[in-house]
Amino acid sequence: MRILVFGRVGQLGSALAELLPGHHEVTFLDQPEVDLSQSENVSNLIAEYAPALVINAAAYTAVDKAETEPQLAHSVNADAPAAMARSCQIRGVPLIHYSTDYVFDGSASVPYTEDAVVAPASVYGRTKLAGEQAVARETDHHIIFRTAWLYSHIGHNFLKTMLRVASEGKPLRVVDDQIGSPTFAWDLGIASVAAVDALEEGREDVYGIFHATNSGLTSWYGFAQKIFEVAGIDTVDLSPIPTESYPTPAPRPAYSVLDCDRLYRVLKVEMPDWQDALARCIARL
Ligand SMILES: NC(=O)c1ccc[n+]([C@@H]2O[C@H](COP(=O)([O-])OP(=O)(O)OC[C@H]3O[C@@H](n4cnc5c(N)ncnc54)[C@H](OP(=O)(O)O)[C@@H]3O)[C@@H](O)[C@H]2O)c1
């Protein structure tokens, strides 16, 4: 299959670069070839590469910075995916796109299903929701994976930050009252490959939103504890704090566990437990 992927250098893009090739003919586009804040270039690029499938692994992901750069975040997270979806619809090709648990307000106490009520509390969450809605409006032939707490051995993320701060010997105070599912970008990549395979088979039942996170749940503090345990680091001064002791420009959902049942039912992808995923990721550092 001829596939055009926007964004290779990020966490998910790096996973796709390793997992997708095989029998596919894949082209990855990054800056400076494409600047997704200028969405008018998108349709020309899709016309030029004439793919049978477009995947958008790129996004504006600086959650706190988005509070002061709402227009830039909206251009990359909503206008560019809208342009991709419009172009895909005209060319009759499907689009795989990614979104976030931050489309939810975090007031639930059971896992969010794909059709749960969305109410993002941050600029980032609102721009990602606008992107989802634009993609769905422009083409029925879309797959949107909502994921959460993404990390990898490549790129910037919570895992890397914990290991760096620990190596500096500084005490660590980590939030213990936000609950979610840490997700290894490679496992999201594997779910994405299952979607590509299903599209290649011509399946019509695979469109729409899928929740895709590693299974199980923890807090950021629990995630940090497990990181140090798996990495064999027992010298860290680590303690739990409430969210109110660590104010951030963008509010985070208190609870953002996603129900991934549709992913299993439709694509037969069973997402591994987050602790198993963390061990596989740390082994690659
Ligand atoms: N990270 C998380 O915790 C998390 C959680 C839930 C959902 N998600 C979603 O999952 C998807 C993948 O996230 P990720 O963690 O892999 O992201 P990431 O590591 O931050 O990578 C983002 C990618 O987008 C590219 N990009 C950003 N601005 C661009 C622009 N103006 N023009 C072209 N490319 C641009 C980056 O390229 P440069 O480096 O060159 O800028 C990079 O390739 C995204 O849709 C994200 O919203 C992420």
Side-chain angles (χ1 to χ4, degrees):
M1 205 176 197
R2 194 173 160 86
I3 305 174
L4 179 61
V5 183
F6 288 96
R8 196 207 61 81
V9 299
Q11 304 189 88
L12 173 64
S14 301
L16 294 175
E18 183 176 298
L19 296 166
L20 261 184
H23 65 289
H24 299 296
E25 185 193 332
V26 192
T27 303
F28 288 88
L29 287 180
D30 279 293
Q31 302 188 78
E33 293 83 19
V34 58
D35 178 358
L36 293 177
S37 66
Q38 312 292 321
S39 59
E40 56 276 12
N41 302 329
V42 163
S43 62
N44 289 344
L45 287 164
I46 293 177
E48 182 184 333
Y49 286 92
L53 167 66
V54 175
I55 300 179
N56 180 26
Y60 179 108
T61 56
V63 175
D64 288 321
K65 214 171 162 201
E67 297 292 317
T68 52
E69 291 185 338
Q71 191 47 54
L72 176 59
H74 192 276
S75 300
V76 177
N77 289 346
D79 295 340
M84 289 177 204
R86 206 171 303 128
S87 184
C88 284
Q89 174 67 14
I90 290 167
R91 305 185 64 82
V93 302
L95 171 66
I96 298 181
H97 178 65
Y98 298 85
S99 189
T100 172
D101 55 328
Y102 286 10
V103 298
F104 298 115
D105 67 7
S107 60
S109 52
V110 294
Y112 286 98
T113 55
E114 285 83 354
D115 58 0
V117 174
V118 287
S122 62
V123 168
Y124 168 74
R126 286 194 286 277
T127 64
K128 292 297 291 183
L129 178 60
E132 287 186 9
Q133 292 172 337
V135 165
R137 192 174 56 240
E138 297 292 345
T139 178
D140 287 340
H141 290 154
H142 67 267
I143 291 175
I144 297 170
F145 286 109
R146 284 194 193 126
T147 192
W149 295 28
L150 209 60
Y151 68 92
S152 162
H153 49 290
I154 290 165
H156 304 289
N157 53 58
F158 182 81
L159 163 66
K160 296 281 200 69
T161 303
M162 289 298 106
L163 294 175
R164 177 176 48 76
V165 177
S167 74
E168 291 164 356
K170 295 178 183 161
L172 269 165
R173 307 284 172 262
V174 181
V175 170
D176 197 28
D177 56 2
Q178 292 169 24
I179 304 299
S181 306
T183 301
F184 182 22
W186 254 246
D187 288 337
L188 179 61
I190 288 167
S192 306
V193 171
V196 172
D197 291 344
L199 290 171
E200 199 174 26
E201 288 166 17
R203 281 178 58 187
E204 288 287 333
D205 61 332
V206 295
Y207 294 113
I209 298 176
F210 288 92
H211 285 175
T213 66
N214 280 125
S215 62
L217 53 90
T218 188
S219 66
W220 290 108
Y221 172 73
F223 189 18
Q225 273 186 313
K226 196 71 193 173
I227 288 168
F228 297 128
E229 183 190 316
V230 174
I233 299 169
D234 59 7
T235 51
V236 186
D237 174 7
L238 174 69
S239 43
I241 53 168
T243 297
E244 66 205 36
S245 301
Y246 188 73
T248 51
R252 267 65 171 176
Y255 177 95
S256 63
V257 180
L258 304 183
D259 180 332
C260 300
D261 191 47
R262 179 171 187 242
L263 186 68
Y264 179 68
R265 274 188 290 109
V266 176
L267 288 173
K268 296 286 169 276
V269 175
E270 195 165 6
M271 293 293 276
D273 180 78
W274 72 270
Q275 301 185 47
D276 163 86
L278 178 63
R280 280 184 285 115
C281 179
I282 287 181
R284 296 190 64 163
L285 277 170

